[in-house]
Amino acid sequence: MGTTYSLPEEVLTTKVAQYSFRISKELYALRATSKSGLALAQRGLSSSCSFLCRHVHFRGEADPRRDEAVGRVFGAGCIRLSAHVRSPERIAALDAFVRRTNGGLFSLNLWTCDVTAEALLRMCQASPKLTKLRGPSSVAIPDSTVISISAACPDLN
């Protein structure tokens, strides 16, 4: 057992959570240190101390399971999301990631995604705090969907 495992829970939550995580590798390492590590990493992500991990990029054609894993770890703290995905599996993983943010997204960039109008509306309904949205450039979005998005996200600019 490592020394982190033997620390009392209150020490982990009051002292270690204050540590400023600069790169996501540190959060992955913390997650693996003890039973409390995952919860501690998630608490750290949802606080302002983890600013650099709060903007997530989905790029390329990675495995959708990787996207789902990133969503489980970083979803709760993500406030800005940029995606460059085209396959239906990756779009589904992206949709699941957006739901894992628990409505915390402020910015969503889907400019180069092949997201359907229905999927875009679902993501916006799951993100009522959105202030910035860049929709897909290659997909026609009906006026009725735009009206529904504006109702779901009243703070959009």
Short mmCIF file of all heavy atoms in Angstrom, two decimals, residues 10 12 14 17-19 28 32 36 38 42-43 48 50 53 56 69 79 85 95 97 99 102 117 134:
data_model
loop_
_atom_site.label_atom_id
_atom_site.label_comp_id
_atom_site.label_asym_id
_atom_site.label_seq_id
_atom_site.Cartn_x
_atom_site.Cartn_y
_atom_site.Cartn_z
N GLU A 10 -10.17 13.11 5.66
CA GLU A 10 -10.21 14.57 5.81
C GLU A 10 -8.91 15.24 5.34
O GLU A 10 -8.93 16.35 4.83
CB GLU A 10 -10.55 14.99 7.24
CG GLU A 10 -9.56 14.58 8.31
CD GLU A 10 -9.84 13.19 8.87
OE1 GLU A 10 -10.73 12.49 8.38
OE2 GLU A 10 -9.14 12.79 9.81
N LEU A 12 -7.05 14.03 2.86
CA LEU A 12 -7.14 13.99 1.40
C LEU A 12 -8.04 15.09 0.87
O LEU A 12 -7.71 15.78 -0.09
CB LEU A 12 -7.67 12.63 0.94
CG LEU A 12 -6.68 11.48 0.97
CD1 LEU A 12 -7.40 10.17 0.67
CD2 LEU A 12 -5.56 11.71 -0.02
N THR A 14 -9.11 17.97 2.36
CA THR A 14 -8.79 19.36 2.67
C THR A 14 -7.42 19.80 2.19
O THR A 14 -7.23 20.94 1.83
CB THR A 14 -8.88 19.62 4.19
OG1 THR A 14 -7.97 18.76 4.87
CG2 THR A 14 -10.28 19.40 4.68
N ALA A 17 -6.77 18.03 -2.12
CA ALA A 17 -7.68 18.62 -3.11
C ALA A 17 -7.30 20.05 -3.45
O ALA A 17 -7.68 20.56 -4.49
CB ALA A 17 -9.12 18.57 -2.61
N GLN A 18 -6.55 20.71 -2.57
CA GLN A 18 -6.11 22.07 -2.84
C GLN A 18 -4.96 22.13 -3.83
O GLN A 18 -4.62 23.18 -4.36
CB GLN A 18 -5.69 22.77 -1.53
CG GLN A 18 -6.79 22.83 -0.51
CD GLN A 18 -7.99 23.60 -1.02
OE1 GLN A 18 -7.85 24.64 -1.65
NE2 GLN A 18 -9.18 23.08 -0.76
N TYR A 19 -4.32 20.99 -4.08
CA TYR A 19 -3.20 20.93 -5.00
C TYR A 19 -3.66 21.34 -6.39
O TYR A 19 -4.70 20.94 -6.86
CB TYR A 19 -2.64 19.51 -5.03
CG TYR A 19 -1.50 19.30 -5.99
CD1 TYR A 19 -0.25 19.84 -5.73
CD2 TYR A 19 -1.68 18.58 -7.14
CE1 TYR A 19 0.80 19.65 -6.61
CE2 TYR A 19 -0.64 18.38 -8.03
CZ TYR A 19 0.59 18.93 -7.76
OH TYR A 19 1.62 18.75 -8.64
N TYR A 28 -4.93 11.43 -13.52
CA TYR A 28 -4.97 9.98 -13.72
C TYR A 28 -4.17 9.27 -12.62
O TYR A 28 -4.60 8.25 -12.09
CB TYR A 28 -4.39 9.59 -15.08
CG TYR A 28 -5.30 9.87 -16.25
CD1 TYR A 28 -4.87 10.63 -17.31
CD2 TYR A 28 -6.60 9.35 -16.28
CE1 TYR A 28 -5.70 10.87 -18.40
CE2 TYR A 28 -7.43 9.59 -17.35
CZ TYR A 28 -6.98 10.35 -18.41
OH TYR A 28 -7.79 10.58 -19.47
N ALA A 32 -5.50 6.65 -9.40
CA ALA A 32 -5.02 5.29 -9.21
C ALA A 32 -4.35 5.05 -7.85
O ALA A 32 -3.99 3.93 -7.54
CB ALA A 32 -4.02 4.94 -10.31
N SER A 36 -9.98 6.33 -2.48
CA SER A 36 -10.50 7.70 -2.45
C SER A 36 -10.00 8.54 -3.61
O SER A 36 -10.48 9.64 -3.82
CB SER A 36 -10.10 8.39 -1.14
OG SER A 36 -10.53 7.65 -0.05
N LEU A 38 -10.24 8.37 -6.93
CA LEU A 38 -11.18 8.72 -7.99
C LEU A 38 -12.10 9.84 -7.54
O LEU A 38 -12.28 10.84 -8.24
CB LEU A 38 -11.99 7.50 -8.42
CG LEU A 38 -13.08 7.79 -9.45
CD1 LEU A 38 -12.50 8.36 -10.74
CD2 LEU A 38 -13.88 6.52 -9.74
N GLN A 42 -12.26 13.67 -9.01
CA GLN A 42 -13.49 14.26 -9.51
C GLN A 42 -13.83 15.55 -8.76
O GLN A 42 -14.28 16.52 -9.36
CB GLN A 42 -14.64 13.26 -9.41
CG GLN A 42 -14.50 12.15 -10.43
CD GLN A 42 -15.53 11.06 -10.25
OE1 GLN A 42 -16.03 10.81 -9.15
NE2 GLN A 42 -15.84 10.37 -11.34
N ARG A 43 -13.59 15.58 -7.45
CA ARG A 43 -13.82 16.82 -6.70
C ARG A 43 -12.87 17.91 -7.16
O ARG A 43 -13.25 19.06 -7.30
CB ARG A 43 -13.65 16.57 -5.20
CG ARG A 43 -14.88 16.03 -4.54
CD ARG A 43 -14.75 16.11 -3.02
NE ARG A 43 -13.64 15.34 -2.51
CZ ARG A 43 -13.72 14.07 -2.12
NH1 ARG A 43 -14.86 13.44 -2.21
NH2 ARG A 43 -12.67 13.45 -1.66
N SER A 48 -12.19 25.06 -9.10
CA SER A 48 -11.45 25.96 -9.99
C SER A 48 -9.97 25.64 -10.03
O SER A 48 -9.25 26.19 -10.86
CB SER A 48 -11.65 27.40 -9.53
OG SER A 48 -11.16 27.56 -8.22
N SER A 50 -8.47 23.16 -11.14
CA SER A 50 -8.09 22.31 -12.26
C SER A 50 -8.41 22.95 -13.60
O SER A 50 -8.87 22.30 -14.51
CB SER A 50 -8.80 20.97 -12.14
OG SER A 50 -10.19 21.19 -12.09
N CYS A 53 -7.61 21.37 -17.09
CA CYS A 53 -8.29 20.11 -17.43
C CYS A 53 -9.76 20.34 -17.74
O CYS A 53 -10.48 19.39 -18.00
CB CYS A 53 -8.16 19.12 -16.29
SG CYS A 53 -6.47 18.65 -15.96
N VAL A 56 -11.88 20.25 -22.81
CA VAL A 56 -11.62 18.94 -23.37
C VAL A 56 -11.78 18.99 -24.88
O VAL A 56 -12.70 19.63 -25.40
CB VAL A 56 -12.58 17.89 -22.76
CG1 VAL A 56 -12.42 16.53 -23.41
CG2 VAL A 56 -12.36 17.79 -21.26
N ALA A 69 -14.49 6.84 -21.29
CA ALA A 69 -13.65 6.85 -20.08
C ALA A 69 -13.26 8.28 -19.72
O ALA A 69 -13.29 8.65 -18.54
CB ALA A 69 -12.40 6.00 -20.30
N ILE A 79 -15.99 22.55 -18.68
CA ILE A 79 -16.82 23.72 -18.97
C ILE A 79 -16.74 24.13 -20.44
O ILE A 79 -17.59 24.85 -20.93
CB ILE A 79 -16.46 24.92 -18.07
CG1 ILE A 79 -15.01 25.33 -18.24
CG2 ILE A 79 -16.80 24.61 -16.62
CD1 ILE A 79 -14.64 26.61 -17.52
N VAL A 85 -15.24 15.13 -34.62
CA VAL A 85 -15.54 13.72 -34.83
C VAL A 85 -16.63 13.58 -35.88
O VAL A 85 -17.46 14.47 -36.05
CB VAL A 85 -15.95 13.02 -33.51
CG1 VAL A 85 -14.82 13.02 -32.51
CG2 VAL A 85 -17.18 13.65 -32.91
N ASP A 95 -22.09 12.65 -27.19
CA ASP A 95 -23.38 12.92 -26.56
C ASP A 95 -23.37 12.46 -25.10
O ASP A 95 -23.82 13.18 -24.21
CB ASP A 95 -24.47 12.22 -27.36
CG ASP A 95 -25.87 12.65 -26.99
OD1 ASP A 95 -26.03 13.67 -26.28
OD2 ASP A 95 -26.82 11.98 -27.41
N PHE A 97 -20.72 12.11 -23.22
CA PHE A 97 -19.81 13.00 -22.50
C PHE A 97 -20.53 14.27 -22.07
O PHE A 97 -20.41 14.72 -20.92
CB PHE A 97 -18.60 13.35 -23.36
CG PHE A 97 -17.58 14.20 -22.65
CD1 PHE A 97 -16.49 13.61 -22.05
CD2 PHE A 97 -17.72 15.57 -22.57
CE1 PHE A 97 -15.55 14.38 -21.38
CE2 PHE A 97 -16.80 16.36 -21.90
CZ PHE A 97 -15.71 15.76 -21.31
N ARG A 99 -23.66 14.75 -21.50
CA ARG A 99 -24.57 14.45 -20.39
C ARG A 99 -23.82 14.31 -19.07
O ARG A 99 -24.34 14.65 -18.01
CB ARG A 99 -25.37 13.18 -20.69
CG ARG A 99 -26.49 13.41 -21.68
CD ARG A 99 -27.45 12.24 -21.75
NE ARG A 99 -26.82 10.94 -21.95
CZ ARG A 99 -26.49 10.45 -23.13
NH1 ARG A 99 -26.70 11.13 -24.21
NH2 ARG A 99 -25.92 9.26 -23.21
N ASN A 102 -23.14 17.25 -16.43
CA ASN A 102 -24.20 17.65 -15.48
C ASN A 102 -24.64 19.10 -15.67
O ASN A 102 -24.86 19.81 -14.70
CB ASN A 102 -23.75 17.40 -14.04
CG ASN A 102 -23.43 15.96 -13.79
OD1 ASN A 102 -24.08 15.07 -14.32
ND2 ASN A 102 -22.41 15.71 -12.99
N ALA A 117 -29.27 17.17 -36.21
CA ALA A 117 -30.02 18.22 -35.51
C ALA A 117 -30.57 17.70 -34.18
O ALA A 117 -30.57 18.41 -33.17
CB ALA A 117 -31.14 18.74 -36.40
N ARG A 134 -21.03 26.69 -31.24
CA ARG A 134 -20.65 26.69 -32.65
C ARG A 134 -21.13 25.37 -33.21
O ARG A 134 -20.55 24.32 -32.94
CB ARG A 134 -19.15 26.84 -32.81
CG ARG A 134 -18.75 27.12 -34.23
CD ARG A 134 -17.35 27.62 -34.30
NE ARG A 134 -17.08 28.05 -35.66
CZ ARG A 134 -15.87 28.30 -36.12
NH1 ARG A 134 -14.82 28.19 -35.32
NH2 ARG A 134 -15.71 28.68 -37.35
#
